[in-house]
DNA sequence: TCAAAAGTGTTGGCCATACACCCATGC
DNA sequence: GCATGGGTGTATGGCCAACACTTTTGA
């Protein structure tokens, strides 16, 4: 507490915002990556992001970067702060801490409209977890934690619906869970669950005929944000004994 | 993406770490506050914290500040990153963003051992929520979100036990829930819940005789970090319809 | 013997799982 | 008709809330 920014004794730090933008395309969970245009990590894939500006909040910076990188209106996506990463050696240029954001949205068009988005592309998350694609900086760790957050949010919130272009069917929604959790769910029990939860789904009264089979009712997102009772992954027992990360 | 820290074009930012240190003393949830020794907000109560140093991680900075402010070994407490606050006008001196940490620990001695801890004191959380005590900066908002986090963590993790000095009884643990949630819990059902959850409580084989009544078995913290099935607050139905905060 | 807290037993209801079964459509 | 996915019904079992009841202590 002997330092003071106004006395100029505090070593300043650069602050960036990085985005983990997830979407489900087909049977695949994908994340938006950009190719780095300069050192360090020149040419390597990385999470989109950039420095915060003087007069903006962190949330505004995230929204702005989202627009710049995807060329899309960030207000259509779910966006929330994930966590801040600030290890002193995470950027070889100096002390750069980054506030990571998690953005979730429906199957978006390949990004190309925006100015900075030319080298951005959707990448299968599994190809990164595999090690087939090697991210710059500590972005692998950030992605892992974003994934973990998204997975657990599916349990007790209604965010899964933001992955579905409206309007959508119960099967569309179930597919989101199956892709993100990587496990199959019982269609009939899933249906009961999500239709019983109040204000999760808002019926449109319309129907949609799939390629084959009986037409399905289509819904819009409801107003509820918390899901009660929560959706359960079947691996319950395995998780009971799990040990949380610690700072030690 | 046109700025570059190495080219010196990036407006630097000061980064601090602030701590929400919670403990339960008697029937009261308390938070550690310090009195500000300089402008801005001179003399006003605030969360303890300080600037990060060059070579340390954010977690290390939080641990260091914890030691400096409480005079206690931070390794005995549960410490986790909460969220980062960076509104451009949150500090009148300039752009200061702060990474907030949540620290939880058992009924600690009044802090006075540490060097910087002279003006630190435990304060009832309710007196702050009441408006009777007015915190500096955006610390009121940070405290609110820390509380919300702590409350929800009680549901699906075993952190409640870190509030109890070891060894402790089931009643000690129940009191933690009752104080933090502000609602009474059924003693017999609570007992079943926490004793059935594997590795939440580790029996010591000892007993402790309370002021009045039958002696109680005493326990230590087990190894489990997640609590399954989760502990339920009775306000379930009310929460179903809750709307999450949004960035719009 | 009484008060107070620890701890056990029991019951009714809700929810989850598993799975059988019917419905509506394209081919 | 048949394959395919949509959607309903139902039986079993687990957990939870509520609460009655027993146990063990100090006063």
């Amino acid at each position: 507490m002997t330092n003071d920014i106004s006395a100029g004794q505090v070593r300043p730090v650069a602050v960036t915002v990085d985005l983990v933008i997830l979407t489900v395309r087909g049977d695949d969970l994908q994340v938006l990556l950009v190719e780095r245009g300069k050192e360090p990590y020149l040419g390597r894939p990385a999470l989109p992001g950039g420095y915060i500006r003087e007069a903006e909040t962190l949330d505004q910076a995230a929204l702005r970067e989202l627009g710049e990188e995807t060329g899309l209106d960030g207000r259509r996506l779910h966006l929330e702060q994930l966590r801040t990463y600030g290890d002193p050696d995470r950027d070889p240029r100096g002390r750069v801490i980054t506030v990571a954001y998690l953005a979730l949205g429906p199957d978006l068009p390949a990004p190309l409209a925006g100015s900075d988005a030319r080298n951005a592309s959707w990448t299968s998350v599994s190809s990164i977890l595999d090690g087939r694609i090697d991210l710059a900086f500590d972005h692998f760790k950030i992605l892992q934690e974003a994934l973990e957050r998204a997975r657990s949010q599916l349990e007790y919130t209604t965010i899964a619906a933001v992955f579905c272009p409206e309007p959508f069917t119960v099967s569309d929604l179930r597919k989101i869970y199956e892709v993100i959790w990587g496990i199959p769910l019982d269609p009939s029990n899933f249906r009961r669950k999500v239709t019983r939860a109040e204000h999760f789904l808002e019926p449109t009264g319309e129907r949609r005929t799939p390629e084959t089979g009986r037409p399905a009712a289509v819904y819009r997102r409801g107003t509820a944000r918390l899901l009660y009772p929560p959706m359960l992954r079947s691996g319950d027992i395995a998780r009971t004994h799990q040990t949380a990360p610690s700072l030690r």
Side-chain angles (χ1 to χ4, degrees), chain A:
Chain A
M1 295 288 274
T2 51
N3 275 337
D4 190 348
I5 187 176
S6 54
Q9 294 173 15
V10 176
R11 180 94 163 68
V13 171
V15 177
T16 60
V17 165
D18 283 329
L19 296 169
V20 180
I21 310 168
L22 297 178
T23 198
V24 172
R25 319 190 82 195
D27 290 335
D28 206 26
L29 179 62
Q30 305 197 335
V31 59
L32 191 75
L33 298 181
V34 297
E35 186 181 319
R36 281 191 57 78
K38 55 191 165 195
E39 292 292 349
Y41 300 103
L42 176 68
R44 284 268 284 281
L47 298 174
Y51 295 100
I52 63 171
R53 295 186 181 162
E54 289 198 30
E56 66 189 358
T57 66
L58 298 174
D59 287 355
Q60 284 166 354
L63 273 171
R64 174 179 54 75
E65 292 288 345
L66 187 62
E68 288 177 8
E69 305 285 354
T70 68
L72 282 180
D73 182 1
R75 287 170 296 189
R76 285 191 48 219
L77 282 75
H78 172 89
L79 189 59
E80 66 176 39
Q81 190 182 310
L82 177 64
R83 184 182 163 78
T84 298
Y85 299 82
D87 281 8
D89 57 355
R90 63 176 293 280
D91 189 319
R93 290 167 295 182
R95 193 71 194 262
V96 181
I97 80 168
T98 193
V99 183
Y101 275 77
L102 177 62
L104 310 176
D107 181 3
L108 302 165
L112 33 79
S115 45
D116 280 344
R118 283 177 295 278
N119 60 350
S121 62
W122 292 110
T123 307
S124 169
V125 166
S126 61
S127 69
I128 300 166
L129 298 181
D130 279 341
R132 280 182 284 150
I133 291 179
D134 198 15
L135 300 185
F137 303 108
D138 51 1
H139 289 182
F140 180 73
K141 185 183 178 194
I142 296 175
L143 176 64
Q144 277 185 313
E145 297 192 21
L147 247 187
E148 194 44 56
R149 170 87 135 245
R151 285 188 174 134
S152 70
Q153 296 250 60
L154 291 195
E155 295 186 51
Y156 54 92
T157 77
T158 60
I159 39 143
V162 311
F163 285 102
C164 296
E166 294 195 300
F168 56 89
T169 68
V170 172
S171 290
D172 293 338
L173 185 63
R174 176 165 49 86
K175 186 161 207 170
I176 301 298
Y177 277 90
E178 293 180 330
V179 167
I180 297 183
W181 283 354
I183 56 174
L185 297 176
D186 182 293
S188 42
N189 294 329
F190 181 87
R191 149 178 315 287
R192 235 191 307 273
K193 193 94 190 159
V194 297
T195 52
R196 273 221 283 245
E198 302 212 344
H199 304 283
F200 188 178
L201 303 180
E202 182 186 306
T204 62
E206 315 273 304
R207 304 196 148 257
R208 175 194 297 167
T209 303
E211 294 180 10
T212 169
R214 174 178 170 176
V218 298
Y219 299 86
R220 296 189 176 280
R221 293 189 273 281
T223 55
R225 289 296 170 267
L226 293 179
L227 176 59
Y228 188 85
M231 188 76 61
L232 302 176
R233 299 194 242 186
S234 308
D236 299 326
I237 308 95
R239 300 168 59 233
T240 308
H241 207 168
Q242 188 172 327
T243 302
S246 164
L247 291 190
R248 309 284 168 269

